[in-house]
Amino acid sequence: QVQLVESGGGLVQPGGSLRLSCAASGVRLNQYGMAWGWYRQAPGKQREFVAEFTEGRGTNYADSVKGRFTISRDNTENTAYLQMNSLKPEDTAIYYCNVKIMLMNYWGQGTQVTVSS
C-alpha cells in the first residue's frame, strides 16, 4: 500500500523560504519508470502542477516556480523534498505530494503553505 506523508508547511513572510518533505512508504521513489513530484491547490482554484521528476526523463517545473523552487530526493530516507525560495503571496496553497506508477496516481494528505506579511 502506497502512503505519502507531507510535512514542513507553515506561515512565512514574502521573500522567505520553506522546505516541504514527503515521506513515502510502499514504493521506492527511485523506482524506474515512475514519476514523483508536487502539486498545489489555492483557495477557490483547481489543483495545479508545481514540479515533477520522472526516472529516465528528468525534472520539469511550472513556469510560475522556475528559478525559485527545487525538488530533490533522499534515497536512503525514501523522502522527496520541495525547497521553496523567494516565496510570494500567490504561492499560498495546500501542497500535495504525488507519485505516478503504472498508470496509478497516489496523493498525500497535503500541507498548508501561507505566504503573508
Side-chain angles (χ1 to χ4, degrees):
Q1 181 181 0
V2 176
Q3 285 191 322
L4 305 171
V5 179
E6 301 99 333
S7 61
L11 173 64
V12 63
Q13 291 187 340
S17 297
L18 278 177
R19 189 179 78 156
L20 306 184
S21 300
C22 171
S25 59
V27 65
R28 296 297 305 177
L29 293 177
N30 59 353
Q31 182 175 325
Y32 184 79
M34 67 174 292
W36 57 269
W38 296 86
Y39 287 71
R40 67 187 181 185
Q41 187 166 15
K45 294 188 177 181
Q46 289 190 328
R47 192 172 297 189
E48 66 175 8
F49 169 80
V50 174
E52 185 173 78
F53 177 85
T54 305
E55 288 290 338
R57 295 171 61 181
T59 305
N60 189 31
Y61 292 94
D63 288 343
S64 59
V65 307
K66 276 181 184 176
R68 300 188 298 122
F69 290 11
T70 305
I71 58 172
S72 61
R73 180 184 71 201
D74 184 324
N75 291 335
T76 302
E77 297 295 328
N78 202 33
T79 298
Y81 300 98
L82 177 66
Q83 177 67 44
M84 305 185 293
N85 299 327
S86 303
L87 282 161
K88 305 174 182 180
E90 51 263 44
D91 294 318
T92 295
I94 299 173
Y95 283 72
Y96 296 91
C97 182
N98 171 262
V99 166
K100 298 181 179 70
I101 315 169
M102 303 283 287
L103 302 181
M104 296 292 292
N105 234 338
Y106 299 93
W107 298 93
Q109 83 287 352
T111 185
Q112 176 71 47
V113 172
T114 303
V115 185
S116 175
S117 54

